[in-house]
Amino acid sequence: MSIMMPGMAKASSWIPHLEAYVDASCSPDKQVASIDAIAALMKSDLLTVEALVREMEMYLTTTDNVIRARSILLLSEVLACLISKPLDSATVHSLITFFTARLADWQALHGALNGCLALLRRKSNTGAASNSDARLLAKSFLENIQVQSLAQYDRKLCFELLGHLYDWFADAIIPLADDLIFGICDAIDEEKDPQCLILAFHLVEKLVRLFPDPQGPLGSFAADLFEILGRYFPIYFTHPENNDVGVKREDLSRALMCAFGSSPVFEPYVIPLLLEKLSSSLSLAKLDSLKYLSHCSLHYGADRMTKHVKAIWSSLKDIILSSSEELIFPFEQEHTGSQNDEIIKEALLCLQKVMFQFGSSDDASFISLVVEDAELMMIMRSFSSDRSYADIPGDGRQKLHALGSILSISAKVSISCCQNVMKSFFPLLMELLGISSSNLSCNPISEGIVAETKKLNFGALYLCVELLAACRELATGLGEVAGQSPQAQDMWCNMFCNYFGPLTGYLGSSLVVIGNNANKEAYAHIGAKGMETIATISGCFVRGLKAVYESILVLFMSIISTQSHDKFLWHLTLKTVVKIGKAVLKFQDSDNMTSFMSIVIEKLIFLLSVDDAIIPLPLILEAISEISAAGTSFLLRVIKGIEEALSVNFSHTLVRNSKNSEILVNLLLCYSTHLLPRLQNVDVFEKVALRFLFNVWDQMENPVFEVPSQKEDLLDAIMIATRTTVSGCSPENQGLIVQKAFKVFLSSAFLQVKETESWLTSFKLEELAQDFSIFSHRDEWVISLFASVLISLHPQTPIPDVKVILNIFMTILLLKGHVPVAQALGSIINKWPLKVKAADALIGCTLDEVLEVIFERGFQTVLCLTKPCGSIGSIQVHATVGLGWIGKGLVMRGHEKVKDVVMLLLKCIRLKKLGPENGQDFDDLVRRSAPDAFRLLMSDSEVCLNKKFHATLRPLYKQHFFSTMMPLFLSSIKECESLATRAIHFRAFGHVVSETPVIALVTEAKKLVPILLESLSTLCEDVLNKDLTYSLLLVLSAILMDENGKETILDNGHIIIALLFKLVPYPHMMLVRETAIQCLSAMSLLPHPRIYPFRPQVLQTLSKALDDKKRAVRLEAVRCHQAWASTARSLHF
Amino acid sequence: MTLGLINANPVVHAKKERIARVEDSHADDAVDPLEIYDSVRDIRDPEHPYSLEQLSVLSEESITVDEKLGRILITFTPTIQHCSMATVIGLCLRAKLMRCFPPHYKVDIYVSPGSHANEESVNKQLNDKERVAAALENPNLRQLVDECLYSNEL
């Protein structure tokens, strides 16, 4: 009888769960639920383990196999749920003793295993199994269980159980040594399930870790263990790629590899097996063997591997040399990722690893194998007969590549290896090239001219370059570790530096060799790579070779300055020079840097000043900008050079008014868009930028300076340069620039008509119009540049006499419609400080006051003029442009005054016609230009008012503007009666809607869609609106595709369909037709009862679209036709 | 219907890679053989889960088009001489073209000379307006054709 304690659950409340689980006829869902229920009771302490066990006694000990097995399983499952619940050690002990004993009960084994595992998994802080328990468990396991006779799931449990014993109870099971190893062998023998296998492989690894001593128990079992493991190699996996087992071939293979490499005792068995499989015809086996070989040889250690070295070398060599395909040289772009390639790659990797192992020890046996190999030598000698690249047959090229990789890898291992390889091969290669030690003193360049006439030995050249590149890589690595190594210095000087002179000549002629395309490219690549290698070696690592280094640079520069017609060679050379420049900078050798500077950089800068250089200016600039990217010191010199060229050209173009401004434009663009942005250091940038800007303004101030007429591209280039330089400066320096610019601006001729202060008082535009008619080109330049400066300022930068500037700019804007001025106004308004400090005398008024002045004095009066006088019409057009930019500044900062701008613009649209005699055309122009102002207002600009030019941005400003202004628009549209006015309204509306993010539109879809549809159907009447029509159609399609827009679309279904019918034959723009058909396709997905009535008409319209002139439209029509045709079960055509 | 497959083991060819066309934004795109081929190459074979292209029943060269006269001529090659599916394939081609091209095109469909035992009768059947219309009225045939045209099995 159970003892009831207060707070305990009554037995009757959970016994039904117990019975349900034990009853085999119950559904699995119910059984899972009953375990959860019992576990929940125990977790909340309403039921103890003792109580549960006592109550289950009958079930656990019954002779009915099924019930006993089920109840043991129940207990184990419940324990598995309680892993984190603390239990006292006595309970754990008695439970584990119980489950250990049950391991002998084969009918209830599943539950017993499960229970053991659940108990072993417990952590010590919640009550874990003791070591003695674990040992007993292990003993019982080894005595009672025949793993391979069990089902897959139980086998997996067994392996997990063993794994846990190894991981957490190692001390307890070590005394069982022999039994344990034997038991494991027995357990994993013949295992075939991938999940179990991966566990088994890990088990072997852990086992080896438990008994690391090769003389210990493992030693005697190694042969047996390997016999079991070895059968699995190479892993042959028949499960499909995306199997549900969750194990991949790679995982299994890796696990087996770790098991193989886990102990050196496997060495006598593993290495012969791997070597045997290397010669297998199965590529998978080869690949795996190579991977295992590099892994195992690292883990077994050099001592054990020494005896295999010969065999390994000969197998690897065979694989690398015998690849069946013609190997593609790295410079030929196509790459086939075939398995063969992968094998070779792996073999080279393996070779590298093995070499490293032997290269780091004093044992030079491996490298001597390579050096003394007769086959390699034979291949090398064979290249004396096949001389030119085109003459080498496919397999010859492949052998060449293989040999090159072997030599390169061997030379990269260590200094001694490198010396060995170089000693044995380099003189021979030189001999093949015809460079003997007798003619070493030749002048490299003159030798180059001689060599050009004869055929070049490609094979020898290639190998030579590979070797040198390997040496350089080794030296770079060493240099990074311990500075410039004196050993390396000796090595090179003694061995081969003498050859550099003639070799350079040889490579130089290879670079410029004349021949057919493939031949030429191969030679040029080899030449460039070789020269680059020699240049960096002689420039960075070995002293005393300055002549070679400089002669290479001279040769490259002569190609760059004269061979621009050969695009391939020119770009290759440029790239190589950049590489050399980077290397020189990296190794900080002042001598070589000076040479590079004087030979390369100075030469390029000199080319800039030459009027009749062979190479065109854009190419010089490209070369300059590429090379200066190598490092800051080059960049600074280049910038200085360009500045000089700029000032010379400035005076050429502006003072003498020469016709050709192209050079100046190119220089300016290169300077401002390529060179200056690369200056990372802010201080240096600002210094350079200030110098440039002051120079520009000095030129403007210079009375000699004549502004050329019709040089818009030049003005644009200067404006771009001004904007980029100013925007990169700090507010303080910007302040200096503004001061200077303002001074020059005030001295302009056109401003002399009035006193500076008098701009603040009110005046009549008409009076000024007369004065402004003398607006010279020079004035226009000064205004544009001044506006560019203002556009790029930081918000913090103080602007002198800002009120005066605003007034002057307003006047210029209204009279001249000068766009940069409008942008500058927008910028100033956008960046106006939110709160003005009282002390801030420069500004002195708030944004609201300024806006009031601008609106009242400027726009309001102008736009409300009812009587046109003189050129008032054009003034009104200019006013709308200004409103657009100023409005944009306001919208971006989220200012509520933008409402006034919108109201003014809407007013423009509604302007009454003044009658035919009073310049109707102008009237129409104003009404037409107002919608364009809305486009300016909403669209993003590259030129100003963006992040780069420090604009004040309110998050989600477009959404905000849309949601506050939409009611204004809608009511204004509703009020207007005339069709023409309505159409203009729709254009304005279209510009706003097409720039607003779709999310904002969808939320307003209900109000928006009817107007959108009406505007679309109005706008598509006029060809001029085709772009707008397209963007609005895109908006409609976005709403169509949005889940939230569905309801509105359904409500307006028939209007939308009618509109789309109108747009499908739209003659002016293919994209509109295509998008309209796509919209129709999207409509076919709406609920069928609603759209079914349209079906016949849609199909009819589409059959006309099948005959469209454009293929894209026809294809879209077919797709759409199919979508609509299949909306009905039976298809009628 | 016959039991078993008529050609149990057809030769399957690789699909040709499709090259995206460079669209000329100003000129009109004329209907050319490639466009027609693109629209019919993916039709599934009535008895195998392969496209007509894979079974080499059709090729771009076997299609000619004359835009001025509004004529399209397709010659196809059944996989075996006595293939009773030849008419179904022809019917599929016709149905597909009817849906993809405007009705003013006159479409002629023939088996290539010498490729079929009953060449003449198949050609006659495929180009007889009334018989094609009647065939497409037949629910079973109609279903078969639709399966071939819009199959996802490929």
Side-chain angles (χ1 to χ4, degrees):
Chain A
M1 214 185 104
S2 61
I3 304 156
M4 282 296 293
M5 287 203 286
M8 285 285 135
K10 276 186 194 156
S12 57
S13 66
W14 53 269
I15 291 286
H17 292 308
L18 179 61
E19 278 164 354
Y21 193 83
V22 171
D23 181 6
S25 62
C26 236
S27 73
D29 290 348
K30 222 170 175 186
Q31 293 178 340
V32 172
S34 51
I35 286 187
D36 289 344
I38 294 175
L41 281 177
M42 296 183 87
K43 269 184 195 156
S44 50
D45 283 328
L46 292 172
L47 177 63
T48 61
V49 178
E50 290 85 4
L52 176 70
V53 172
R54 211 168 287 134
E55 204 62 41
M56 285 176 72
E57 191 183 351
M58 284 291 290
Y59 295 100
L60 291 173
T61 54
T62 174
T63 51
D64 183 332
N65 293 332
V66 177
I67 291 182
R68 193 172 72 246
R70 293 293 303 174
S71 57
I72 291 177
L73 185 61
L74 169 70
L75 188 58
S76 72
E77 291 283 350
V78 169
L79 286 174
C81 296
L82 297 180
I83 279 202
S84 52
K85 183 180 164 63
L87 292 177
D88 60 79
S89 56
T91 314
V92 174
H93 173 71
S94 57
L95 281 169
I96 207 159
T97 317
F98 169 73
F99 281 117
T100 303
R102 293 331 295 171
L103 286 177
D105 178 2
W106 66 268
Q107 280 128 331
L109 192 62
H110 182 60
L113 284 171
N114 206 14
C116 288
L117 195 58
L119 288 165
L120 287 183
R121 275 187 177 146
R122 299 183 65 82
K123 296 270 160 13
S124 55
N125 57 352
T126 50
S130 68
N131 271 352
S132 56
D133 292 338
R135 188 176 310 138
L136 284 176
L137 175 68
K139 259 190 186 157
S140 162
F141 183 92
L142 293 173
E143 274 166 25
N144 291 317
I145 296 180
Q146 282 286 316
V147 178
Q148 283 310 314
S149 61
L150 302 179
Q152 185 260 345
Y153 184 69
D154 286 337
R155 292 205 304 276
K156 198 174 158 202
L157 278 182
C158 286
F159 289 128
E160 280 176 20
L161 190 69
L162 285 172
H164 257 276
L165 282 172
Y166 284 137
D167 286 345
W168 304 101
F169 302 95
D171 296 341
I173 56 171
I174 281 183
L176 299 174
D178 284 1
D179 288 343
L180 197 63
I181 299 175
F182 185 77
I184 298 277
C185 288
D186 206 31
I188 62 178
D189 196 10
E190 301 278 311
E191 178 60 65
K192 286 194 186 64
D193 179 72
Q195 282 178 329
C196 294
L197 262 182
I198 213 162
L199 290 172
F201 293 154
H202 285 310
L203 265 186
V204 173
E205 214 188 321
K206 287 172 187 166
L207 184 73
V208 173
R209 230 181 284 142
L210 272 190
F211 305 102
D213 183 13
Q215 311 304 330
L218 190 66
S220 48
F221 280 101
D224 296 336
L225 206 50
F226 180 75
E227 202 196 318
I228 295 166
L229 282 184
R231 279 182 225 144
Y232 294 105
F233 182 81
I235 298 279
Y236 180 65
F237 199 54
T238 48
H239 284 271
E241 196 67 9
N242 48 353
N243 56 29
D244 48 356
V245 186
V247 180
K248 287 197 202 107
R249 202 198 89 87
E250 290 82 61
D251 303 336
L252 266 176
S253 176
R254 205 172 306 121
L256 184 61
M257 183 164 83
C258 291
F260 271 13
S262 56
S263 165
V265 296
F266 290 135
E267 172 266 325
Y269 316 104
V270 170
I271 302 293
L273 173 74
L274 293 180
L275 287 175
E276 185 199 320
K277 295 283 179 195
L278 272 185
S279 53
S280 145
S281 59
L282 201 67
S283 52
L284 200 67
K286 260 187 189 172
L287 204 59
D288 265 10
S289 307
L290 288 168
K291 278 184 194 157
Y292 281 43
L293 197 59
S294 29
H295 178 87
C296 291
S297 72
L298 273 186
H299 282 79
Y300 296 163
D303 289 347
R304 273 181 178 268
M305 294 301 291
T306 312
K307 52 179 176 285
H308 300 294
V309 159
K310 237 181 197 152
I312 292 179
W313 162 241
S314 80
S315 329
L316 287 180
K317 184 182 70 182
D318 286 347
I319 292 179
I320 297 172
L321 290 181
S322 71
S323 65
S324 57
E325 281 171 49
E326 177 185 341
L327 237 134
I328 294 153
F329 278 106
F331 51 75
E332 284 169 18
Q333 295 297 310
E334 322 154 41
H335 262 288
T336 51
S338 74
Q339 203 155 30
N340 204 5
D341 277 0
E342 219 174 307
I343 290 177
I344 297 206
K345 229 164 67 191
E346 202 58 54
L348 287 171
L349 206 66
C350 182
L351 181 67
Q352 192 184 12
K353 282 194 176 159
V354 176
M355 281 212 171
F356 260 117
Q357 202 173 15
F358 288 98
S360 50
S361 68
D362 290 336
D363 196 347
S365 58
F366 206 111
I367 196 70
S368 60
L369 282 177
V370 179
V371 171
E372 286 155 19
D373 196 285
E375 198 181 346
L376 294 191
M377 212 44 110
M378 207 177 71
I379 296 173
M380 192 171 282
R381 291 210 176 272
S382 74
F383 290 116
S384 58
S385 51
D386 298 321
R387 306 205 69 165
S388 128
Y389 175 71
D391 296 341
I392 303 175
D395 69 323
R397 286 182 204 180
Q398 178 270 316
K399 284 239 162 32
L400 181 61
H401 186 263
L403 185 58
S405 338
I406 291 179
L407 292 185
S408 149
I409 279 180
S410 331
K412 269 188 262 183
V413 172
S414 68
I415 293 187
S416 64
C417 289
C418 184
Q419 268 169 334
N420 253 324
V421 175
M422 289 303 270
K423 235 183 253 165
S424 346
F425 294 101
F426 201 71
L428 177 65
L429 287 171
M430 290 297 108
E431 199 184 297
L432 290 177
L433 285 173
I435 301 172
S436 62
S437 44
S438 59
N439 59 3
L440 285 182
S441 54
C442 283
N443 181 347
I445 297 302
S446 67
E447 177 72 11
I449 298 161
V450 178
E452 212 163 350
T453 50
K454 59 184 180 186
K455 266 186 164 183
L456 295 161
N457 186 335
F458 184 81
L461 209 53
Y462 174 77
L463 291 176
C464 186
V465 169
E466 284 291 298
L467 268 179
L468 288 177
C471 285
R472 181 187 52 176
E473 207 168 302
L474 179 67
T476 316
L478 289 175
E480 274 164 10
V481 177
Q484 209 172 47
S485 146
Q487 267 177 305
Q489 168 98 11
D490 288 348
M491 177 179 87
W492 277 310
C493 277
N494 296 338
M495 263 196 298
F496 53 83
C497 291
N498 296 336
Y499 292 106
F500 273 8
L503 186 57
T504 314
Y506 218 100
L507 288 166
S509 44
S510 162
L511 184 61
V512 293
V513 77
I514 303 150
N516 63 19
N517 267 344
N519 216 0
K520 185 184 146 117
E521 284 191 15
Y523 274 114
H525 272 286
I526 286 294
K529 188 177 173 193
M531 304 261 269
E532 184 225 329
T533 316
I534 292 182
T536 40
I537 288 178
S538 54
C540 305
F541 303 111
V542 185
R543 281 171 218 291
L545 285 174
K546 209 172 161 194
V548 176
Y549 166 71
E550 287 183 354
S551 68
I552 293 176
L553 289 182
V554 167
L555 176 67
F556 279 151
M557 282 320 290
S558 78
I559 293 177
I560 287 184
S561 54
T562 55
Q563 307 266 339
S564 61
H565 53 274
D566 187 344
K567 285 242 159 51
F568 166 76
L569 179 64
W570 194 85
H571 280 108
L572 182 69
T573 313
L574 181 58
K575 243 192 263 168
T576 316
V577 174
V578 172
K579 274 187 201 158
I580 296 176
K582 276 186 183 153
V584 167
L585 279 179
K586 194 173 160 202
F587 287 92
Q588 290 296 338
D589 188 307
S590 61
D591 227 22
N592 292 320
M593 202 110 96
T594 327
S595 315
F596 191 88
M597 203 70 112
S598 66
I599 299 174
V600 180
I601 309 273
E602 299 293 341
K603 168 89 177 176
L604 283 172
I605 292 171
F606 169 72
L607 283 176
L608 280 180
S609 62
V610 181
D611 282 336
D612 49 354
I614 306 170
I615 164 174
L617 182 72
L619 281 181
I620 303 179
L621 290 175
E622 186 187 338
I624 283 185
S625 98
E626 292 284 321
I627 290 175
S628 65
T632 319
S633 47
F634 297 156
L635 185 57
L636 286 176
R637 176 66 192 96
V638 162
I639 285 180
K640 216 165 141 234
I642 295 235
E643 274 170 2
E644 280 157 19
L646 272 176
S647 73
V648 170
N649 277 296
F650 253 123
S651 47
H652 266 283
T653 318
L654 301 183
V655 180
R656 291 189 220 147
N657 206 355
S658 93
K659 289 272 175 273
N660 193 4
S661 64
E662 208 176 312
I663 301 175
L664 195 53
V665 172
N666 275 326
L667 281 173
L668 276 169
L669 287 180
C670 172
Y671 182 72
S672 61
T673 55
H674 290 111
L675 298 178
L676 284 185
R678 289 218 190 100
L679 276 174
Q680 303 293 329
N681 187 325
V682 182
D683 287 342
V684 181
F685 174 83
E686 294 203 8
K687 230 166 92 190
V688 173
L690 278 184
R691 201 163 61 211
F692 169 76
L693 288 165
F694 274 100
N695 195 7
V696 168
W697 283 105
D698 283 341
Q699 297 277 4
M700 291 289 144
E701 211 174 8
N702 189 352
V704 197
F705 146 91
E706 268 176 54
V707 172
S709 50
Q710 289 155 354
K711 291 270 163 74
E712 274 80 14
D713 51 346
L714 182 56
L715 179 58
D716 281 344
I718 301 183
M719 277 167 70
I720 291 174
T722 310
R723 282 199 303 263
T724 20
T725 40
V726 174
S727 67
C729 286
S730 66
E732 292 77 40
N733 286 330
Q734 286 184 346
L736 295 177
I737 299 161
V738 177
Q739 297 276 2
K740 167 91 182 175
F742 185 52
K743 209 179 95 203
V744 179
F745 175 69
L746 282 184
S747 66
S748 309
F750 75 102
L751 288 177
Q752 304 306 321
V753 293
K754 275 167 77 98
E755 287 292 312
T756 315
E757 291 306 314
S758 67
W759 285 99
L760 293 176
T761 54
S762 65
F763 52 84
K764 283 233 162 83
L765 272 175
E766 297 83 48
E767 293 166 12
L768 273 175
Q770 206 63 41
D771 302 327
F772 270 58
S773 57
I774 52 158
F775 215 60
S776 69
H777 279 296
R778 184 206 184 91
D779 293 333
E780 186 170 337
W781 276 49
V782 171
I783 292 169
S784 302
L785 291 185
F786 187 47
S788 305
V789 171
L790 292 176
I791 281 170
S792 355
L793 294 181
H794 276 285
Q796 300 92 323
T797 311
I799 305 173
D801 282 332
V802 65
K803 276 197 201 160
V804 177
I805 294 179
L806 281 177
N807 276 301
I808 300 175
F809 271 22
M810 279 297 291
T811 320
I812 300 172
L813 168 67
L814 292 177
L815 289 175
K816 289 278 165 193
H818 204 273
V819 174
V821 162
Q823 291 168 343
L825 280 172
S827 252
I828 295 175
I829 299 290
N830 177 262
K831 294 167 194 169
W832 201 280
L834 207 56
K835 280 175 193 152
V836 180
K837 289 178 214 134
D840 216 341
L842 278 176
I843 298 172
C845 56
T846 62
L847 179 59
D848 287 340
E849 289 164 22
V850 172
L851 285 174
E852 207 155 304
V853 174
I854 289 182
F855 285 136
E856 293 220 331
R857 268 232 318 262
F859 297 124
Q860 212 111 37
T861 45
V862 173
L863 294 175
C864 299
L865 282 177
T866 42
K867 280 185 197 156
C869 58
S871 57
I872 276 303
S874 69
I875 289 183
Q876 285 176 334
V877 173
H878 298 155
T880 56
V881 175
L883 274 177
W885 287 105
I886 291 174
K888 182 167 169 57
L890 289 171
V891 171
M892 286 175 82
R893 67 184 295 169
H895 198 274
E896 74 266 16
K897 270 278 168 42
V898 73
K899 195 171 173 186
D900 296 353
V901 176
V902 173
M903 294 299 274
L904 267 175
L905 285 171
L906 287 177
K907 212 164 163 186
C908 281
I909 294 176
R910 286 198 302 266
L911 270 184
K912 285 264 166 18
K913 284 202 176 175
L914 300 175
E917 72 277 14
N918 290 333
Q920 185 188 4
D921 292 345
F922 267 136
D923 221 35
D924 250 15
L925 262 180
V926 177
R927 285 153 48 106
R928 286 201 153 271
S929 64
D932 292 335
F934 280 104
R935 196 189 63 229
L936 293 179
L937 203 79
M938 289 300 281
S939 61
D940 298 318
S941 167
E942 283 283 299
V943 184
C944 65
L945 285 169
N946 54 35
K947 266 228 166 91
K948 200 173 139 209
F949 297 119
H950 318 291
T952 316
L953 275 168
R954 182 185 151 141
L956 302 178
Y957 70 90
K958 282 186 183 172
Q959 279 96 319
H960 179 75
F961 175 76
F962 171 78
S963 54
T964 46
M965 293 305 140
M966 208 24 61
L968 269 181
F969 263 102
L970 296 182
S971 63
S972 175
I973 291 175
K974 218 173 268 171
E975 278 164 24
C976 73
E977 286 147 11
S978 118
L979 271 180
T981 318
R982 236 177 138 80
I984 297 172
H985 260 112
F986 285 139
R987 275 183 56 216
F989 169 83
H991 284 308
V992 173
V993 168
S994 59
E995 292 285 343
T996 310
V998 180
I999 304 175
L1001 298 178
V1002 171
T1003 49
E1004 297 278 331
K1006 208 160 197 152
K1007 277 183 243 161
L1008 196 67
V1009 169
I1011 305 288
L1012 181 69
L1013 295 174
E1014 198 183 339
S1015 54
L1016 255 174
S1017 74
T1018 315
L1019 289 175
C1020 72
E1021 307 279 346
D1022 192 344
V1023 196
L1024 292 177
N1025 294 328
K1026 63 180 181 183
D1027 290 316
L1028 190 56
T1029 310
Y1030 179 52
S1031 16
L1032 278 185
L1033 189 58
L1034 284 182
V1035 170
L1036 178 66
S1037 79
I1039 296 176
L1040 254 171
M1041 297 311 286
D1042 197 287
E1043 205 45 49
N1044 299 324
K1046 284 266 157 65
E1047 191 58 34
T1048 326
I1049 296 294
L1050 274 179
D1051 292 345
N1052 296 288
H1054 60 284
I1055 311 177
I1056 296 178
I1057 294 268
L1059 171 71
L1060 291 176
F1061 283 171
K1062 208 165 154 188
L1063 290 176
V1064 167
Y1066 190 74
H1068 311 300
M1069 202 177 185
M1070 191 262 282
L1071 286 169
V1072 170
R1073 301 200 291 274
E1074 200 181 350
T1075 316
I1077 296 176
Q1078 279 164 350
C1079 288
L1080 271 182
S1081 303
M1083 296 284 288
S1084 75
L1085 299 176
L1086 297 174
H1088 286 185
R1090 302 289 289 271
I1091 56 160
Y1092 191 78
F1094 307 125
R1095 194 166 161 275
Q1097 275 169 290
V1098 171
L1099 291 178
Q1100 205 178 2
T1101 311
L1102 285 173
S1103 67
K1104 277 180 211 144
L1106 284 177
D1107 205 10
D1108 197 276
K1109 284 182 204 140
K1110 287 299 208 178
R1111 186 170 296 118
V1113 180
R1114 294 198 289 262
L1115 292 179
E1116 208 54 62
V1118 170
R1119 247 167 264 153
C1120 184
H1121 197 278
Q1122 167 59 16
W1124 275 87
S1126 59
T1127 51
R1129 208 160 258 283
S1130 63
L1131 305 170
H1132 299 289
F1133 290 91
Chain B
M1 274 267 151
T2 43
L3 289 171
L5 298 171
I6 295 167
N7 181 4
N9 193 14
V11 184
V12 180
H13 302 262
K15 282 188 188 182
K16 255 199 289 179
E17 203 177 323
R18 298 189 185 204
I19 310 147
R21 292 176 181 232
V22 188
E23 295 287 341
D24 181 354
S25 52
H26 298 296
D28 295 345
D29 306 322
V31 175
D32 58 10
L34 182 60
E35 184 178 346
I36 297 171
Y37 183 50
D38 274 338
S39 64
V40 291
R41 66 205 289 182
D42 285 329
I43 295 175
R44 206 201 62 183
D45 184 80
E47 54 173 22
H48 296 288
Y50 296 112
S51 67
L52 296 186
E53 178 189 10
Q54 282 171 307
L55 297 178
S56 212
V57 172
L58 279 172
S59 71
E60 196 187 331
E61 291 72 36
S62 64
I63 299 169
T64 51
V65 59
D66 185 334
E67 226 202 353
K68 269 197 201 126
L69 298 177
R71 293 187 74 127
I72 297 173
L73 171 67
I74 299 187
T75 321
F76 69 97
T77 318
T79 51
I80 41 174
Q81 285 263 325
H82 50 275
C83 186
S84 66
M85 289 296 168
T87 46
V88 181
I89 294 174
L91 197 60
C92 289
L93 288 173
R94 189 168 284 281
K96 181 79 185 184
L97 291 182
M98 264 158 70
R99 291 170 204 183
C100 292
F101 292 94
H104 61 75
Y105 278 100
K106 180 180 187 309
V107 181
D108 293 314
I109 298 175
Y110 295 106
V111 294
S112 60
S115 67
H116 200 273
N118 302 325
E119 195 180 317
E120 207 172 315
S121 70
V122 171
N123 285 345
K124 199 170 175 191
Q125 189 178 351
L126 287 178
N127 294 300
D128 186 327
K129 230 179 178 178
E130 314 247 320
R131 286 174 77 178
V132 169
L136 288 176
E137 296 273 315
N138 178 335
N140 291 331
L141 262 176
R142 171 107 236 168
Q143 201 187 350
L144 183 61
V145 166
D146 282 339
E147 272 171 22
C148 289
L149 294 193
Y150 304 110
S151 165
N152 298 323
E153 273 178 53
L154 292 177

